[in-house]
Amino acid sequence: MILQNHLERGVRVKVGQHFGTVRYVGEVPNTEGEWIGIEWDDPDRGKHSGSVNGVQYFQTRMPNAGSMIRGEKLTKFQTLEQAIVEKYIVTENTLRVDSEMLRAVQKQLHASLFEIVGMEKIGVKQSNLQQLVDVSVRYCPVNAAGDLSHFANLQMLDVSSTLLWNWSQVGSIVEQIPSLHELNLSNNRFVDPYEEQVGPLAQKFKNIRKIILKNCALGSWSAVVRLARLWPAIEYLSVEQNGIEFVDDQLNGPHILALSRIKHLDLQNNAIRDAQSLHNLGHLPALEELVLNGNGLREIRFADDCPHNEKVDVFRNLRTIYLRDNPLQDQCAVFNELDKLARLEQVMVDPDPSVSYEETVARIVGSIAGLRVFNRSTISEKLRRDSECDMWKLYANQWLEVRNDAQRLKAFFKTHRMYPRVMERLGSPEQFLPDTRKTSNMIQLQLLNEKTGERRDKKVPKRINLHTLQNLIVKLFALPDGGPALGLYLLDRKRKVRIPLEHHAKSLDFYSVEDGDTIVFV
């Protein structure tokens, strides 16, 4: 542990509730004694940028983040061992004071039924260090490990907002606790390890599966990737609020191997605004959950040449994505892009304020084929069918305008990937178009009795269903009532085949029956 009177540059310190980093240790002319130059985490806590009386002793990143203070103002350092013992060991004096405090509360509240039980049992359990599984020493002035051999069953450790400042200190902690698999290091500031330290440190971190590094001033995705080499077994990584602006493509770089096992990646509240960065994240092979809330994303774009019936070769295992608090400009385009992901099942996104919440739901459920959960609500099959039907009607006019132009139809299907598969289920949407787009609602049919060869010409509505048509044939041809159901077939003259009309609830329009067609009945 670094002693209070042996400070060096880079050491983390605490004064009151404020944290900072030592940038200078030494004298200042015309004053007596030693001064400590501090760069505060809070950029408004200081008085200058490291310059005193025209002399630049150190340089801060923000103009008023620096101060010169005396060493006696610093909070006394602790080892992790000392912090845990102080927080979790319950002595007889502690029990007596706690009991007295509870009795005072009981008397003040006149709560005769408010009993004080189990204090001794709680004390015994907390005092048994080997039983501790989840420990937090958040805000404690910890800057070294100490002897941690007593914590044999510890699995989760929160050392956020402490005074840890280099990875050797953290390595000493995890090396002593082989059972540890989750580590919260948020709100600390670390110096990068030397290249020769990476291999030995990676051996110490071999059991760590989850690391949280919220607000650690990492500054770039490259810094994250370099640090990830220390964590060979990492599966869950949170680097929220670290000023990351761009994710470069390191698909073929040696460092990308360090992230090859990441399943959950939390990047919320950074500044990743470009679609290319999101695309580059898609190269992480094991990624299942991605959190991008509050990044300023305006669009999402994957491969432009992806056919409507295929998926892109990125985010191959992604199942869940969080996109809240992003100014997405065109949600329909976003949903269309997300449909390109092979295994996506859950999406969290803010509703479009320009439309109703119900329309947002219809858009996303109707657009993403594999979606199972939207904003934590499970999607029922009925909701999916209704949403697809809404989208079928919504884009009917656009489809009609391009359906006879192969190139424009191909472009339409790229923009609305869901439309071909919805049409397979629901058929042509023409019946929902305004009547002004139709020359007539009636078509002329020739009805043919296959057994007798008898024919009848009859005008019928395009939207007549097959059940009604069958009843009409029975009356028109004077067939016996109550007989077996007729078999109906559409005679395709061009291909010289008969198409069975089997779904009696469907309309003629569903089977694209046209004016002048022949329907055969048996």
Side-chain angles (χ1 to χ4, degrees):
M1 180 173 71
I2 295 178
L3 300 177
Q4 218 80 20
N5 57 350
H6 287 85
L7 294 174
E8 59 182 275
R9 281 180 291 181
V11 170
R12 297 283 290 164
V13 293
K14 184 180 181 183
V15 177
Q17 299 302 314
H18 295 276
F19 291 84
T21 303
V22 174
R23 298 301 185 200
Y24 173 79
V25 180
E27 297 181 351
V28 174
N30 302 319
T31 65
E32 295 183 359
E34 186 177 72
W35 289 90
I36 314 296
I38 306 295
E39 180 176 6
W40 301 104
D41 294 357
D42 180 355
D44 298 322
R45 167 66 174 82
K47 298 179 179 179
H48 50 71
S49 62
S51 176
V52 178
N53 297 328
V55 178
Q56 194 76 45
Y57 293 91
F58 60 97
Q59 182 64 55
T60 62
R61 284 179 287 186
M62 303 300 289
N64 292 310
S67 293
M68 287 287 193
I69 65 172
R70 297 293 191 178
E72 55 266 24
K73 289 187 176 182
L74 301 179
T75 300
K76 186 178 179 181
F77 295 144
Q78 282 183 312
T79 64
L80 177 59
E81 176 194 13
Q82 290 170 336
I84 295 176
V85 169
E86 181 178 298
K87 183 171 181 178
Y88 289 90
I89 293 296
V90 181
T91 64
E92 290 184 5
N93 288 336
T94 307
L95 290 173
R96 178 179 55 78
V97 172
D98 289 345
S99 297
E100 290 175 354
M101 289 178 63
L102 287 171
R103 289 191 179 93
V105 171
Q106 181 188 42
K107 182 177 180 180
Q108 184 177 359
L109 296 177
H110 304 289
S112 58
L113 297 179
F114 185 74
E115 298 184 33
I116 304 167
V117 297
M119 290 299 296
E120 291 79 7
K121 292 182 179 179
I122 294 173
V124 170
K125 184 174 182 180
Q126 288 189 324
S127 296
N128 190 341
L129 300 180
Q130 292 188 347
Q131 291 187 27
L132 289 174
V133 175
D134 184 351
V135 162
S136 173
V137 291
R138 184 178 175 86
Y139 295 119
C140 294
V142 172
N143 80 336
D147 181 6
L148 304 175
S149 59
H150 305 292
F151 309 105
N153 294 306
L154 192 60
Q155 297 178 24
M156 293 169 281
L157 176 62
D158 183 350
V159 284
S160 59
S161 300
T162 59
L163 300 181
L164 295 173
W165 63 283
N166 69 61
W167 289 100
S168 295
Q169 295 169 332
V170 184
S172 178
I173 292 171
V174 299
E175 183 181 31
Q176 294 187 62
I177 314 175
S179 59
L180 193 66
H181 62 77
E182 180 177 328
L183 192 58
N184 189 343
L185 297 164
S186 299
N187 303 312
N188 291 311
R189 301 290 183 270
F190 294 97
V191 296
D192 288 340
Y194 295 115
E195 195 63 30
E196 57 269 22
Q197 293 178 304
V198 172
L201 283 173
Q203 286 296 314
K204 296 180 180 182
F205 282 90
K206 62 184 179 182
N207 295 323
I208 301 297
R209 300 289 187 273
K210 178 177 180 178
I211 289 184
I212 303 173
L213 286 166
K214 177 182 177 181
N215 187 30
C216 288
L218 299 179
S220 70
W221 177 248
S222 298
V224 174
V225 175
R226 286 196 303 271
L227 284 177
R229 296 178 298 164
L230 305 180
W231 319 313
I234 189 73
E235 295 179 354
Y236 181 114
L237 177 61
S238 173
V239 285
E240 176 185 353
Q241 199 177 332
N242 273 286
I244 300 169
E245 296 182 356
F246 180 74
V247 177
D248 50 332
D249 187 359
Q250 299 186 356
L251 177 61
N252 298 315
H255 296 168
I256 199 64
L257 295 175
L259 294 169
S260 62
R261 298 183 62 173
I262 290 288
K263 294 181 179 179
H264 175 103
L265 179 61
D266 187 346
L267 282 164
Q268 65 182 308
N269 298 321
N270 281 287
I272 302 170
R273 298 183 174 91
D274 63 298
Q276 186 59 47
S277 288
L278 178 58
H279 186 277
N280 292 341
L281 287 170
H283 297 313
L284 298 176
L287 190 62
E288 295 180 3
E289 185 168 278
L290 177 61
V291 184
L292 288 168
N293 296 338
N295 267 277
L297 276 169
R298 301 177 68 85
E299 64 172 342
I300 292 176
R301 187 179 64 255
F302 300 120
D304 290 332
D305 58 350
C306 179
H308 65 81
N309 56 349
E310 296 182 11
K311 303 292 185 179
V312 292
D313 194 30
V314 293
F315 291 115
R316 286 174 291 180
N317 288 300
L318 189 70
R319 289 175 169 81
T320 303
I321 188 167
Y322 292 77
L323 293 168
R324 289 187 177 277
D325 300 320
N326 286 292
L328 298 169
Q329 295 300 292
D330 185 345
Q331 280 200 347
C332 290
V334 169
F335 300 155
N336 190 67
E337 290 298 306
L338 293 177
D339 183 59
K340 297 177 182 179
L341 304 183
R343 305 183 74 176
L344 187 65
E345 296 179 346
Q346 299 189 48
V347 175
M348 265 57 71
V349 67
D350 296 322
D352 185 343
S354 66
V355 299
S356 67
Y357 181 76
E358 290 74 16
E359 186 168 342
T360 298
V361 172
R363 286 177 175 181
I364 190 168
V365 176
S367 297
I368 304 177
L371 196 65
R372 297 290 176 267
V373 178
F374 172 56
N375 285 353
R376 304 192 184 279
S377 295
T378 302
I379 297 167
S380 66
E381 283 306 311
K382 182 180 185 305
L383 177 59
R384 184 180 306 283
R385 290 194 301 269
D386 291 347
S387 298
E388 289 179 346
C389 186
D390 288 343
M391 295 298 100
W392 180 56
K393 297 175 185 177
L394 179 64
Y395 297 116
N397 281 328
Q398 294 183 37
W399 169 80
L400 183 66
E401 291 175 0
V402 302
R403 64 174 177 169
N404 295 320
D405 186 324
Q407 290 300 318
R408 294 176 67 196
L409 184 62
K410 182 179 179 181
F412 173 79
F413 285 158
K414 277 188 177 182
T415 306
H416 308 288
R417 291 170 51 88
M418 45 62 108
Y419 217 73
R421 64 174 178 263
V422 173
M423 286 184 64
E424 286 181 11
R425 183 170 71 84
L426 299 177
S428 166
E430 286 181 274
Q431 58 186 295
F432 294 102
L433 296 173
D435 290 342
T436 55
R437 292 183 174 269
K438 303 178 183 180
T439 56
S440 173
N441 288 324
M442 307 293 288
I443 56 174
Q444 181 80 24
L445 293 180
Q446 186 176 78
L447 305 174
L448 171 63
N449 187 333
E450 188 173 59
K451 289 183 179 180
T452 66
E454 187 178 1
R455 300 172 183 268
R456 294 280 192 278
D457 291 331
K458 184 66 177 176
K459 274 193 173 185
V460 297
K462 288 182 178 181
R463 297 179 62 183
I464 188 173
N465 62 41
L466 298 184
H467 180 73
T468 304
L469 179 62
Q470 178 175 290
N471 292 336
L472 177 63
I473 291 172
V474 169
K475 292 180 180 179
L476 192 61
F477 286 84
L479 301 177
D481 290 331
L486 299 178
L488 302 180
Y489 300 88
L490 172 63
L491 185 62
D492 189 328
R493 300 192 191 99
K494 294 180 181 178
R495 294 183 293 173
K496 296 181 179 180
V497 296
R498 298 198 310 179
I499 301 171
L501 308 180
E502 297 174 334
H503 302 288
H504 285 191
K506 299 294 186 181
S507 67
L508 294 178
D509 189 57
F510 177 81
Y511 289 99
S512 300
V513 178
E514 298 178 354
D515 192 62
D517 279 346
T518 299
I519 291 182
V520 180
F521 65 90
V522 180

